Amino acid sequence: MTAFVAGPGAGLLSACATAGAGGDPTAAPATSIAASANPKNPFGADAKKPLEVVIFSGGYGDAYAKDLHEELYKKAFPGVSIKHTATQQIGTQLRPRFIGGDAPDVLNNSGPESMDLAALAAEGHLADLTPLFDAPSIDDPAKKVRDTVTPAVLDNAKIDGRDLVLNYTVSHRALWYNAKLFESRQWTVPKTWAEFTALGETAKQEGILLFAYPGQKGPYYQLWNVLYTAAKIGGNQVILDIDNLVDNAWTAAPVNQAVAVWVDVQTKYGDKAYFGLDHTQTQVKQLQNEVLFYPVGSWIENEMAKDKPADFEYAIAPIPDVTASDAMPYGAIQVGVGENFVVAAKGQNPRGGLEYLRVMLSKEGARGFTEKTKNLTVVNGAAEGLDLPAGLMSAARAQDAAGQNIITDARFEGWYKELFDYGTEQINVVMAGRSTPQEFCDRMQEKADAVKNDSSVAKQTRSQ
């Protein structure tokens, strides 16, 4: 399974998103739902049956669901009632409901409390999305839904070989900075690690941190950053080995080196006070030009839109060359699909859940999402002609410049949540200087080995 890759010159906008169980005992199991001959209602959803939708209210907010997707669903089924819930406590609120057989029909599983999808799949809680991908597109019934989205959607949908997850957005994770600040100081974006640290010295003289990440509710941003740096040094095989639980994957030299260089940056150009801040507080500090580079994804622009001052313009910077022999050249960035949605197999209305996702994958649903969130979706052609913000255009240019040099996404986050959660704890420990880079790698390898040797954990594999 791979992250979405745009070919050289493809262009972001054209290539990607232009870029006891509960329920009605008479309802057919979600796994048996097949597309019918009716293109307007291919899953045979009951037009009068209520639907429940739970949305993670993070960087994208929830207006796109409440004011757009749910309204489009109601347009298709006039008079239907939809229960809408927005929360940041996905696991806390939803885990007991799944266990109790009272799961919502559609779940946006995201954020620091996201649920373990592999575990939910193993317990039979996730509806098969193959009928969704094989259903006729709302925009063109002659096309299947699978033919209207970037192929990475289909690659990343699978758990244990089954289509169970819809990733809805295209995201760019790298280092984000204020282009207007750089322009006013006549600074250039560093391409080598020597240039990066030299800029750190210059910024320090002006009371600006070279780099920061949130120690609370966002340390996984830095875990991602370290892994992408390791891939920059050693190639995407580094991440594939970690995902595949290959022996000694975490203790490989590129991983150790990536941890070491970022610990060095934190020590010399960071501030331990940020370990006590959450993502919003840290992002406000960057908007106040107290931080130059922040490791995050392209949702940042919308997330901070209300707080962003006029003299701040988000732009994306690739990870600088760490060595003269990095496996991936300067300009390589991570581009992937994300923001996953699932339908509860044991929910009250799985047929309606599938139809809701089909609505999301219409051009109207996808274009509206981009308009409301300033982020791209996986629906081809949906964002053509939209006036996109500066940060998103910067990401589009960066993806075009990267060509085939795309850093893959790490999949163990969804496959082995216990390992990922442990990593988010340990990255704070090592970045704060309470362990060495080698100790971090050893601890992560020990944890990965424990997962590998645990017969109760379903194992996943990827080849690219």
Side-chain angles (χ1 to χ4, degrees), residues 169-181:
T169 63
V170 176
S171 64
H172 303 74
R173 297 175 188 166
L175 302 173
W176 288 79
Y177 68 99
N178 180 5
K180 289 189 175 180
L181 175 64

Side-chain angles (χ1 to χ4, degrees), residues 273-288:
Y274 283 74
F275 292 118
L277 301 185
D278 64 23
H279 62 294
T280 301
Q281 293 167 323
T282 305
Q283 288 157 197
V284 167
K285 291 285 189 182
Q286 188 185 33
L287 292 178
Q288 296 169 342

